[in-house]
Amino acid sequence: MAVRASSKSNLRQTAFTRFTLIVAILVLWMGGITVRLVHLQVNQHEWLKERAIGQRQDIKRSKMPRGTIYDRDERALAMSVTVQTLYADATRIDDVKSAAKIIAKVLDSKEAAIEAQLADAKAVEKRFLPLAKGLDDETVQKINKALEDPSIRKADLPKFEGLHWREDQKRSYPYQKLAAHIIGFSNAEGIGQAGIEQSQNEILFGAIIKKLQERDRLGRVYDETVSEKEIPKDIVLTISTSMQYHAEQALERAVKVSSAKSGIAVVIDHKNGEILALANYPSFDPNKLNGITPQNLTNRAIQSVYSPGSAFKLVTYGSALERKLITPDGEIDSGNGTIEIAKHKFTDSHAIGRVSYAKAMAHSSNVCAIKTSIRVGKESFYETVKKLGFGRPTGIELPAETGGIVRSPGTWNGDSLASMSIGYEIGVSALQMASAFATIANNGVRIQPHIIKQIRQSDEQVVPLAQPENTQVVSAETARDLRMMLKQVVIAGTGKRAQLNGYSSAGKTGTAWKFDEKLKRVNSAKYVSSFIGFAPAEDPAVTIAIVIDEPKVGGRDGGQVAAPVFREIAEQILPALNVKPEWSIEQEEAIEDIPEAAGIGNASNIDNNNVNAQAKPENSKVASARPETSIESKPESSDKKPEKPKMAPKEDKAKTESSEKGFGEAKSKGQVKNKSSPEIKKDKT
Amino acid sequence: MRNRNIPRTRLKSPAFREKAPLPWSYLIVVAACGCLLATGFFLAARQHFISMEFGIKNSRLRKQLEDLESEKRRLILAREVSLAPFEIKRTARNLGFREIVKMPFQNVVTATKAKAGALKSAAEIPAAISGKLPSVRMSSVQKPIRADYAEPVKKPAAAAKQAKKPDGSKNKKERIEITAIATLR
């Protein structure tokens, strides 16, 4: 019994010893692991973490495509496309020489230069060395194929150690020069530098997005986190590509034919204030900015001011009509075609005697306009000028718009009112003039001109825009009278060349001497010729302003240089706007049979036409349906001198210099006295 | 009286333990739990790798989508480039078309004269051409021939003279050309 008990006790002892040994080994093993883990997780924590993230995560920065600019017909005017940049991570290239040899061969560039670049980058541990930029997909594929190294295990292309692709954006302007001043351009960083690109940069800007990619051991991306950024919006403009093209072509031809310095054309849909075309010449191609001069870049339609000349008589007669001081049929005596205001003599190109206000405007009489402005008075005239939007920017969504130059009555000289009534001593932009005429065309309601029709998000949702300002500037009656007077300008006045085929038109010519910086006075050899009008005359659909700067060859006044451009643009644009012709060609031919006795050019006939125009609109169509007859019957009108305020020869040079200063030029105090001539007083009474 | 309480020392004794059998139910439960755990780990691992696969596929599709988007942009741009007037003009020139040269503005003739001239020119149009293009004929007949800008050096008198000039062979040719231009327009 005792032996059995003893053997049992030994067995237990052995088992216990073995158990203890195993436990001890396990404890040691686990202890070792614990120590190692503590070492790794405490001492080498940062290094290991970085290494793990580096192996697993990849941060890629790319740029969202900049927003697209469309025209009103959804034609893309400016668009960004993705291009690739091949860059080298120099720290990953071991053999610089052999790498440079292969890269140079693929990129067709100099091996030595690439080798030097790589060596320099490697020395400073540069991880981004661009080797080729702006490559399209086709080129990228060719390069990938050429650089493929089967021994390289890499998930991304190119399969070449140390070389990578980076996505970039390239801005393209498919219509090249078309509407270049409106669209503008952006720089290499995707920041707008001119035009809509600049003014709407925040909306169009393609932000840099950060993509956090999780990769497996083979480098394949299995998870991606994109940092949230607002997606750029697209902008739809009010301009029409086809209308813009017509306007630009017509303007370019006119500038070239007249050897002018530059030209401007503005086309406005006055019913809603939308700009249908805004052309400048000379222009530029936003795709090729090398060698561009500031002259080419200037958007003269909104950034330059000029003296409007006789086109500003619209404001003069408008303010008088609004205050019921005159009627279109009322008569005014222009006397001998000369008037003296504050020792400054203003003359007409030809004396027209006692005529109706409509004829006075048609013939662009300076004397009549000055007399009318004196009846209106300084304050009232200034009020109308301001109401029509002069002296402040129109608010169009384009950068660097000028407000023009309009001095307050307190700073005016004795002859300032007279000068301003005929479009001197005032600086306006072409857009302001177009807007003023558009107001008259729109029954006296001024709608703020604008060029952005829509702003769209990426999901096609439209961002609500503020409604353009809508102001009744003059009464509908005044606007109608003015339209009728402007129609006479085209039928029987200085704007005959603006007569359209199939449509009636109305407008006003303007020719102004330019201020010469060198001479410090206006230069009678330099003109700004303009024609601003609308069509059809009765129910206008479109307002067009044409300004030609310094025409040198041929006729120089607005009726000769600018009116044909108006006609060309209007004749092409009106059918595009679905405006039905007011009369057919057959009717036109039938009218030709009417004897010349009822023609245009005779003073008494003009007034008859004027009356007829009011009483029977169809008769006015008859009258305006004879452009060719009127032009040919009085060809000498082409050689007519510009309708300018002329200094009498007896005026001394000093007076000439001081009184013929351009706008914004303060005159000497000695000449500020406002001495109305007896003739004016007579007229006023 | 029988003592029902079993002493603890007796239970702990090896002899007693050797005799005590392992309960099968207990073993089955442990095995089931083990299997469940192993299956759970296995399924979790499988899910993980499947999700990885999906992630990779998703990433590829996203890349494909981006590529297609940029390709779409490129195609839109290419279309716009080809539709641009300057490009059309260049292509037309390459195809041998000639640009229309507008007549000077001062060559404006009266509608009556234009009508007469145009009627003559219409008569000169070969019957084959005029038959094919009735609308062209109409427009050329009805529209007065005129153009846009003043030729600077030309005097109005000269222009009037030109308008009155009887139709010579040169004029006939010009009118036919104008009719052809009208066709193109």
Side-chain angles (χ1 to χ4, degrees):
Chain A
M1 258 322 261
V3 173
R4 266 184 77 183
S6 166
S7 67
K8 272 184 184 176
S9 169
N10 286 341
L11 274 172
R12 276 206 301 272
Q13 190 60 44
T14 310
F16 179 76
T17 310
R18 284 176 184 168
F19 176 76
T20 311
L21 192 68
I22 289 165
V23 168
I25 289 165
L26 280 172
V27 167
L28 278 173
W29 179 54
M30 288 181 76
I33 288 171
T34 309
V35 169
R36 178 65 179 155
L37 279 173
V38 168
H39 175 67
L40 289 173
Q41 290 186 30
V42 177
N43 297 340
Q44 292 187 317
H45 163 253
E46 286 298 323
W47 179 76
L48 283 169
K49 192 182 170 187
E50 270 178 30
R51 202 175 158 193
I53 289 170
Q55 278 179 352
R56 198 183 77 242
Q57 288 185 342
D58 191 10
I59 296 168
K60 280 210 162 184
R61 283 180 181 84
S62 61
K63 204 164 194 181
M64 280 193 276
R66 194 173 163 81
T68 305
I69 301 172
Y70 295 98
D71 81 336
R72 66 187 299 126
D73 305 316
E74 298 291 327
R75 309 282 290 271
L77 301 171
M79 202 174 197
S80 288
V81 286
T82 308
V83 287
Q84 304 284 347
T85 299
L86 181 68
Y87 73 95
D89 178 357
T91 57
R92 303 292 300 268
I93 296 174
D94 299 325
D95 189 354
V96 169
K97 198 171 181 179
S98 62
K101 194 178 176 182
I102 297 164
I103 294 165
K105 193 181 170 187
V106 170
L107 299 178
D108 196 22
S109 50
K110 287 181 180 175
E111 187 187 328
I114 289 180
E115 191 183 335
Q117 278 182 334
L118 285 173
D120 291 345
K122 197 175 168 66
V124 293
E125 294 191 345
K126 201 174 176 181
R127 299 194 67 183
F128 182 79
L129 174 69
L131 297 169
K133 284 181 181 176
L135 304 175
D136 59 12
D137 255 13
E138 208 178 321
T139 318
V140 167
Q141 281 172 15
K142 276 182 191 170
I143 291 172
N144 282 339
K145 206 175 173 184
L147 284 173
E148 192 157 350
D149 184 353
S151 63
I152 301 293
R153 292 193 70 187
K154 207 171 143 200
D156 294 335
L157 294 169
K159 289 195 184 291
F160 191 91
E161 196 60 53
L163 292 190
H164 305 275
W165 289 111
R166 194 184 77 166
E167 269 186 11
D168 281 324
Q169 303 295 325
K170 185 187 170 192
R171 196 74 167 158
S172 286
Y173 304 91
Y175 289 85
Q176 298 164 29
K177 283 184 178 180
L178 195 84
H181 290 98
I182 300 171
I183 303 161
F185 58 90
S186 59
N187 63 11
E189 283 78 43
I191 297 164
Q193 300 293 301
I196 286 289
E197 291 271 35
Q198 186 186 355
S199 68
Q200 307 299 314
N201 188 51
E202 280 185 21
I203 290 167
L204 295 166
F205 185 72
I208 293 170
I209 48 167
K210 208 163 75 171
K211 287 180 184 172
L212 184 67
Q213 297 177 330
E214 300 278 342
R215 289 171 181 266
D216 67 357
R217 65 185 179 88
L218 295 172
R220 295 175 301 183
V221 179
Y222 65 86
D223 196 12
E224 196 172 66
T225 314
V226 182
S227 61
E228 275 194 25
K229 293 273 178 185
E230 202 180 346
I231 298 168
K233 296 177 186 80
D234 296 334
I235 290 176
V236 182
L237 300 180
T238 57
I239 63 160
S240 157
T241 308
S242 59
M243 291 179 199
Q244 179 74 24
Y245 179 70
H246 290 316
E248 285 188 7
Q249 290 293 300
L251 187 69
E252 186 179 344
R253 275 197 292 273
V255 171
K256 282 180 179 170
V257 163
S258 60
S259 294
K261 199 174 165 187
S262 62
I264 303 163
V266 181
V267 183
I268 298 185
D269 182 347
H270 47 253
K271 286 173 184 162
N272 49 25
E274 289 181 354
I275 306 250
L276 300 173
L278 193 145
N280 283 275
Y281 187 85
S283 189
F284 65 96
D285 183 354
N287 296 303
K288 299 165 193 166
L289 291 171
N290 291 340
I292 296 292
T293 59
Q295 281 75 29
N296 292 48
L297 288 172
T298 310
N299 188 351
R300 289 176 178 81
I302 60 158
Q303 292 171 353
S304 301
V305 290
Y306 73 100
S307 293
S310 294
F312 207 70
K313 286 171 188 166
L314 173 97
V315 180
T316 309
Y317 290 113
S319 52
L321 283 168
E322 182 69 3
R323 282 157 191 83
K324 315 275 184 205
L325 297 172
I326 63 164
T327 59
D329 299 331
E331 288 196 337
I332 183 166
D333 189 7
S334 70
N336 60 353
T338 309
I339 189 168
E340 189 177 322
I341 309 283
K343 294 181 182 175
H344 181 181
K345 269 191 179 176
F346 296 89
T347 57
D348 283 338
S349 57
H350 58 285
I352 52 170
R354 193 169 183 84
V355 290
S356 69
Y357 280 98
K359 192 190 170 188
M361 193 175 190
H363 281 252
S364 200
S365 165
N366 291 329
V367 173
C368 293
I370 291 166
K371 283 183 173 181
T372 308
S373 72
I374 290 165
R375 287 186 71 184
V376 171
K378 271 185 182 182
E379 293 297 333
S380 301
F381 181 79
Y382 179 73
E383 190 190 338
T384 311
V385 168
K386 295 298 276 184
K387 269 186 174 179
L388 281 165
F390 297 103
R392 63 189 156 94
T394 62
I396 192 171
E397 306 92 336
L398 288 169
E401 191 196 359
T402 178
I405 302 163
V406 178
R407 292 182 293 138
S408 58
T411 60
W412 289 4
N413 301 318
D415 60 350
S416 288
L417 179 62
S419 295
M420 285 175 77
S421 70
I422 55 169
Y424 284 85
E425 286 196 34
I426 189 165
V428 299
S429 70
L431 183 63
Q432 283 177 331
M433 283 304 287
S435 175
F437 274 75
T439 304
I440 302 308
N442 196 33
N443 287 321
V445 179
R446 183 180 181 273
I447 300 177
Q448 186 190 358
H450 57 278
I451 204 155
I452 293 179
K453 194 178 174 72
Q454 231 175 53
I455 295 175
R456 269 201 314 246
Q457 289 175 344
S458 56
D459 55 357
E460 299 290 315
Q461 266 198 330
V462 177
V463 177
L465 292 173
Q467 287 294 311
E469 276 176 38
N470 205 331
T471 326
Q472 184 83 40
V473 175
V474 292
S475 67
E477 197 186 342
T478 302
R480 195 196 60 219
D481 287 346
L482 274 173
R483 282 204 301 271
M484 195 270 292
M485 288 170 83
L486 291 171
K487 192 174 170 182
Q488 288 304 314
V489 174
V490 176
I491 295 169
T494 52
K496 287 175 187 169
R497 288 175 196 238
Q499 290 173 350
L500 308 178
N501 196 0
Y503 299 95
S504 62
S505 60
K508 184 73 192 82
T509 55
T511 316
W513 285 332
K514 281 183 77 178
F515 182 78
D516 197 319
E517 289 289 339
K518 286 177 189 170
L519 298 172
K520 298 288 176 194
R521 59 189 285 269
V522 287
N523 186 342
S524 58
K526 290 180 177 177
Y527 300 87
V528 177
S529 306
S530 59
F531 183 88
I532 305 151
F534 41 82
E538 300 302 327
D539 180 21
V542 69
T543 303
I544 303 169
I546 308 294
V547 181
I548 308 287
D549 187 17
E550 290 187 33
K552 292 182 188 76
V553 179
R556 293 182 183 186
D557 68 0
Q560 290 171 288
V561 184
V565 188
F566 169 87
R567 194 191 67 204
E568 187 178 347
I569 295 172
E571 282 182 354
Q572 289 177 339
I573 281 178
L574 288 170
L577 290 171
N578 295 323
V579 180
K580 286 182 183 172
E582 290 170 272
W583 57 85
S584 66
I585 303 296
E586 284 81 11
Q587 279 174 313
E588 189 176 2
E589 287 174 347
I591 292 157
E592 288 302 316
D593 298 327
I594 297 168
E596 192 66 32
I600 300 149
N602 184 310
S604 59
N605 286 335
I606 292 165
D607 289 337
N608 289 340
N609 287 336
N610 186 1
V611 174
N612 287 340
Q614 287 182 79
K616 294 176 185 175
E618 65 274 16
N619 284 355
S620 66
K621 288 172 191 173
V622 168
S624 62
R626 280 180 267 117
E628 289 77 20
T629 312
S630 60
I631 289 164
E632 199 185 48
S633 64
K634 203 180 174 186
E636 64 275 11
S637 66
S638 305
D639 299 332
K640 195 177 70 185
K641 286 178 183 176
E643 67 267 357
K644 292 286 95 31
K646 289 175 184 168
M647 295 299 295
K650 63 182 178 182
E651 295 270 317
D652 61 52
K653 197 184 172 187
K655 275 182 188 172
T656 308
E657 282 181 4
S658 59
S659 60
E660 288 190 341
K661 275 180 181 177
F663 50 79
E665 288 293 309
K667 296 183 179 181
S668 62
K669 283 181 182 176
Q671 293 172 325
V672 175
K673 291 174 189 173
N674 186 2
K675 290 180 183 174
S676 300
S677 65
E679 189 186 6
I680 298 160
K681 281 178 183 169
K682 191 180 172 185
D683 185 60
K684 280 170 95 174
T685 52
Chain B
M1 194 173 164
R2 194 176 170 186
N3 187 7
R4 285 180 181 270
N5 296 326
I6 303 161
R8 282 182 183 273
T9 48
R10 193 180 155 193
L11 278 172
K12 282 177 184 174
S13 67
F16 184 83
R17 268 186 283 152
E18 272 172 18
K19 283 176 187 174
L22 273 170
W24 282 104
S25 59
Y26 174 76
L27 285 173
I28 288 165
V29 168
V30 168
C33 286
C35 283
L36 203 66
L37 198 65
T39 312
F41 275 119
F42 177 76
L43 286 175
R46 195 162 165 268
Q47 288 296 318
H48 170 74
F49 287 111
I50 287 171
S51 79
M52 289 265 287
E53 280 298 312
F54 277 125
I56 290 162
K57 277 181 189 170
N58 189 21
S59 169
R60 276 183 196 154
L61 285 172
R62 203 183 289 123
K63 179 87 175 61
Q64 207 174 344
L65 195 70
E66 280 172 12
D67 289 348
L68 286 170
E69 279 287 336
S70 57
E71 185 62 24
K72 185 184 162 191
R73 279 175 163 273
R74 246 190 303 278
L75 289 170
I76 290 170
L77 187 67
R79 187 192 66 184
E80 296 298 345
V81 168
S82 63
L83 285 174
F86 304 104
E87 189 64 25
I88 291 170
K89 204 180 256 187
R90 196 177 63 86
T91 313
R93 212 176 289 136
N94 290 345
L95 290 169
F97 286 90
R98 277 189 306 152
E99 205 167 337
I100 299 165
V101 180
K102 295 223 170 185
M103 290 178 72
F105 178 70
Q106 281 172 345
N107 285 348
V108 169
V109 292
T110 63
T112 318
K113 283 171 188 170
K115 187 185 167 188
L119 279 169
K120 278 182 188 174
S121 66
E124 288 153 8
I125 298 168
I129 301 169
S130 57
K132 280 177 189 173
L133 305 162
S135 60
V136 173
R137 265 183 66 198
M138 288 297 283
S139 64
S140 64
V141 169
Q142 291 168 350
K143 269 191 179 177
I145 302 159
R146 64 178 197 185
D148 294 62
Y149 296 107
E151 203 170 325
V153 286
K154 229 174 233 178
K155 287 179 183 175
K161 202 177 172 185
Q162 195 180 340
K164 285 174 189 171
K165 203 175 168 184
D167 289 335
S169 59
K170 199 181 173 184
N171 278 1
K172 283 177 192 173
K173 199 180 174 185
E174 273 177 8
R175 287 212 173 91
I176 291 167
E177 275 184 7
I178 290 159
T179 316
I181 288 162
T183 317
L184 289 168
R185 293 179 86 183

